[in-house]
Amino acid sequence: MRITVYDVLGWLAAGMSHAEILDDFPELTEEDIRACLEFAADREHRLIAVVGES
């Protein structure tokens, strides 16, 4: 099964806890969830940097 960063971020935004996500998708780890958050933060930072240069 393929689980995307978008999926994980959507579940978190909808109010699911890390524990709920891990219970529903045992193939994920706490580290995977943190990596999704890190990816989103980095992407947001890069977007702001690019927009700020315009």
Side-chain angles (χ1 to χ4, degrees):
M1 173 191 254
R2 184 173 172 189
I3 300 170
T4 66
V5 170
Y6 181 82
D7 291 332
V8 174
L9 295 175
W11 298 326
L12 291 168
M16 287 182 75
S17 69
H18 290 205
E20 290 171 320
I21 294 170
L22 295 174
D23 284 344
D24 288 351
F25 302 94
E27 62 271 27
L28 290 177
T29 65
E30 184 69 34
E31 184 176 295
D32 293 329
I33 294 173
R34 284 194 305 271
C36 290
L37 292 169
E38 183 179 356
F39 174 84
D42 183 62
R43 184 171 177 181
E44 181 68 14
H45 177 75
R46 290 173 189 263
L47 178 64
I48 290 171
V50 169
V51 170
E53 292 176 4
S54 299

